[in-house]
Amino acid sequence: MPQITDPNRVLVEAGMVACFSSDLFSFELMLGEHEAIVSFSRGTGRHRPGALVGEHRVPLSVAADFIAGLNAVLAREDVNIGGRFTTQHFAWIAEGEPGGAPLLDIASNDMPKEFLEEIAADPGTQPALAERMRTRLAQDSFNQAYAIYILAQQLAQTLGYGPVRAPAVPVAPR
């Protein structure tokens, strides 16, 4: 599994495209000795450059924690649950100089485990459907693209750009 091994310059794009909405978070992290510079752009849709929202000097721990979260996601195998839906999550990660090969370039229409948990727990869900969701939940799936999207949302919130609307995703290897 690829890992970020040279965290001096890390590029991350993560987002989602759905029927009536889309979101793109783009970060460039430049790590120094005591602090990091994070350039943040936000846009809509995949491969659509976003407008630079801001450049922030943050404690080194903020960037290091984000990179550690990314490495935890990269360490887990992407395991589909088999529940397709119209929302596509995507993620792209590279390190070093521009133009290098990405460590990760993925997209997924697989339904994240957290969505299935909500469906199965909803008392309004038909019993047969809820049982199918519980069966799929037992498969121990993991959606890397979704997990990276959640990490990107959390970093954007840390930088002061809006609330996180989705639940946190556990990313520690099992």
Side-chain angles (χ1 to χ4, degrees), residues 79-85 109-112 116 133 136 139 141:
V79 179
N80 289 330
I81 205 161
R84 301 282 178 219
F85 69 146
N109 286 88
D110 200 56
M111 188 173 287
L116 290 178
M133 297 302 110
R136 288 188 174 173
Q139 297 173 4
S141 69

Side-chain angles (χ1 to χ4, degrees), residues 96-113:
E97 294 304 313
L103 296 171
L104 180 75
D105 188 0
I106 60 171
S108 175
N109 286 88
D110 200 56
M111 188 173 287
K113 188 175 190 174

